[in-house]
Amino acid sequence: MSDAAEKSKRPRVNVRRPEVMELVAAEVARHYQSSIVEKIRNHSGELTVGGTTVRLAQQFGFCYGVERAIDLAYAARRVFPESRIFLIGEIIHNPEVNRQLVDMGIVSLPWQEMNGSYDNLTADDVVIVPAFGAPTSFMEKIEQQGCYVVDTTCGDVMKVWRRVRGYAKEGVTSIIHGKAGHEETRATASRAQGEDGKGHYLIILTLADTDYVCDYIRGKVDKAAFLAKFQDAISPGFDPDAHLAHVGVANQTTMLKSETEEIQRRVRTAMVDRDGDAANFQVFDTICGATQERQDALFQMLDKKMDLLLVVGGYNSSNTTHLVEIGEEHLPTFFIRDASCLKSLEQIVHYDIHHKEEVTSAYSQLLLGDQPVTIGITAGASCPNNLIEDTILKVFELRGITREQLVVA
């Protein structure tokens, strides 16, 4: 048997070796941990110096799945120090973490579609699958090339895959609550087609999308109009007349739970209106536990008075965006990438999730002056603690409080 043939038999590789992971743990801690954040967490999550109070959510930042993905990526470089290492897209949605991997010589491959980069992979190369997973076509390609595969796909994502595969076997169409262009949703949709490729899916994002689907189920929408509206969010050969007969709801794991539940309720009601009962409707709770913990922690945090909320994370992070949506319902909320977005007491650079662009806002009436203020800080599951520390330090600095004063406090 040739070397290439032998390598094609063992595409998955275990890099979690004790001697490697000990070194990885130290390196990851050096890059991303924060003693200041841990001290504030141990101090009821709140710190007041002078007239400035910073309050942290009880749950924020890296979840287990993200930590595992980062650990495996770092371990891959140590296990394969001389090999070419590639990553499908981004390991997670955080610029700082992805920059660290680039500095380690890990090259990002296109994730929207495959190009010649995949044809150039060899049996000596290592390919990392990100925490979001990857579509089945990508996985088949890299295995055909015989590459070593380091799979960091989150366990919660794989639970969704098992559910939608089950739907496909039963002839049930997966209605996936998520963003059609998101890496995780694309990976889930590919599994919803089943092992034989004959399964079907429909991706919906908003409650307006849901109502449109429900109107079709009730016979109130033209078929051509339906197909035109969802042309980029349906499986090949999707026929709404046939494929909305039996449906099961699943979701991108990082969506807002309350919205997913409302989608489930509306679709079920439409099925009952059409069929007389819910026999042709299935549902399975596939919201990530860490996502829900961070949402619940923010709701709890909002029970106390705050003047301002900062949400820290990558602008393309779905779970972080939903934290912003929650915050905006209650108080001035700013979605910042990192501490550099806090330009001065007069200016905050932040991401407008509605217009999908970075903007600069003035908020001098709160931050200027000596009046007491309480600033809340939270972050999505892909944000490291070192970025939270930088944000805390910058907030106090802008209010005239030094790092040394913080350490004493």
Side-chain angles (χ1 to χ4, degrees):
M1 182 181 292
S2 69
D3 289 345
E6 174 62 24
K7 288 172 183 173
S8 70
K9 291 285 187 181
R10 48 178 172 77
R12 298 293 198 283
V13 59
N14 178 22
V15 295
R16 296 185 72 89
R17 304 170 187 176
E19 70 280 7
V20 170
M21 298 314 295
E22 184 177 350
L23 296 172
V24 165
E27 190 174 14
V28 169
R30 187 169 66 253
H31 286 167
Y32 305 119
Q33 288 185 4
S34 161
S35 60
I36 287 178
V37 169
E38 290 308 312
K39 287 177 181 177
I40 295 176
R41 271 181 153 163
N42 294 333
H43 191 67
S44 302
E46 190 171 296
L47 177 63
T48 300
V49 181
T52 304
T53 298
V54 164
R55 182 178 299 146
L56 302 180
Q58 289 188 357
Q59 295 288 339
F60 64 87
F62 280 174
C63 64
Y64 170 76
V66 165
E67 289 178 343
R68 174 180 173 275
I70 294 171
D71 286 350
L72 290 176
Y74 275 59
R77 175 43 79 199
R78 288 192 172 272
V79 172
F80 297 95
E82 305 300 327
S83 297
R84 296 197 307 172
I85 301 182
F86 298 90
L87 166 66
I88 302 175
E90 298 180 328
I91 192 75
I92 58 172
H93 283 157
N94 186 273
E96 169 66 12
V97 175
N98 288 296
R99 182 190 64 77
Q100 291 282 5
L101 298 189
V102 171
D103 289 347
M104 292 161 57
I106 297 175
V107 178
S108 179
L109 293 168
W111 63 267
Q112 290 92 343
E113 60 183 26
M114 284 185 282
N115 62 13
S117 302
Y118 288 83
D119 293 324
N120 294 329
L121 295 172
T122 73
D124 293 319
D125 294 332
V126 180
V127 177
I128 301 173
V129 181
F132 318 107
T136 54
S137 58
F138 284 67
M139 299 304 297
E140 290 166 359
K141 178 64 176 179
I142 60 177
E143 291 181 10
Q144 286 170 8
Q145 298 299 109
C147 306
Y148 291 98
V149 177
V150 177
D151 193 346
T152 79
T153 304
C154 175
D156 284 324
V157 173
M158 289 192 283
K159 288 179 184 177
V160 182
W161 292 355
R162 287 193 290 272
R163 173 56 50 173
V164 298
R165 282 194 185 106
Y167 286 160
K169 286 181 180 179
E170 298 167 9
V172 175
T173 295
S174 294
I175 294 181
I176 304 169
H177 177 211
K179 301 174 181 178
H182 191 282
E183 297 98 313
E184 181 192 324
T185 299
R186 285 164 54 92
T188 296
S190 72
R191 271 78 181 178
Q193 294 181 261
E195 294 181 4
D196 60 4
K198 296 180 180 179
H200 288 279
Y201 63 82
L202 165 66
I203 302 169
I204 55 177
L205 177 60
T206 65
L207 292 178
D209 290 341
T210 307
D211 289 338
Y212 196 92
V213 172
C214 291
D215 283 344
Y216 191 90
I217 291 171
R218 295 185 176 103
K220 298 179 180 179
V221 173
D222 175 73
K223 182 175 181 178
F226 181 97
L227 291 173
K229 178 176 176 62
F230 293 107
Q231 60 182 327
D232 297 322
I234 53 178
S235 51
F238 188 90
D239 180 347
D241 292 336
H243 301 134
L244 291 179
H246 306 273
V247 302
V249 178
N251 58 273
Q252 184 181 317
T253 59
T254 53
M255 302 307 286
L256 190 63
K257 184 176 182 180
S258 59
E259 191 170 49
T260 293
E261 291 175 339
E262 180 61 17
I263 287 171
Q264 294 167 356
R265 187 192 69 79
R266 294 187 189 189
V267 174
R268 184 184 188 279
T269 299
M271 299 293 283
V272 171
D273 289 345
R274 185 191 67 190
D275 302 334
D277 57 38
N280 293 321
F281 173 80
Q282 297 185 39
V283 67
F284 182 74
D285 182 10
T286 53
I287 287 288
C288 161
T291 294
Q292 189 56 42
E293 287 174 356
R294 281 146 187 75
Q295 292 175 9
D296 290 344
L298 178 53
F299 280 118
Q300 183 179 6
M301 187 185 192
L302 292 168
D303 287 338
K304 298 180 181 180
K305 182 183 181 302
M306 295 185 294
D307 300 292
L308 178 73
L309 177 67
L310 299 175
V311 182
V312 189
Y315 293 159
N316 57 343
S317 168
S318 175
N319 74 90
T320 310
T321 298
H322 294 308
L323 295 177
V324 177
E325 291 174 343
I326 293 170
E328 286 182 339
E329 293 291 322
H330 296 82
L331 80 169
T333 299
F334 298 93
F335 186 179
I336 63 173
R337 184 178 56 253
D338 53 40
S340 68
C341 293
L342 302 176
K343 296 297 183 183
S344 68
L345 289 174
E346 294 84 9
Q347 290 185 318
I348 298 177
V349 176
H350 61 103
Y351 188 69
D352 185 325
I353 62 173
H354 307 289
H355 295 95
K356 301 188 185 309
E357 62 180 357
E358 193 174 63
V359 298
T360 301
S361 295
Y363 212 68
S364 58
Q365 69 268 33
L366 173 64
L367 297 179
L368 285 173
D370 299 324
Q371 71 274 25
V373 296
T374 299
I375 298 173
I377 299 177
T378 189
S382 54
C383 183
N385 277 358
N386 66 307
L387 298 187
I388 303 298
E389 174 181 305
D390 291 345
T391 302
I392 293 168
L393 293 173
K394 190 64 176 287
V395 165
F396 279 111
E397 176 191 329
L398 293 176
R399 293 277 293 175
I401 298 159
T402 66
R403 184 185 184 112
E404 288 70 27
Q405 289 174 287
L406 285 182
V407 172
V408 171

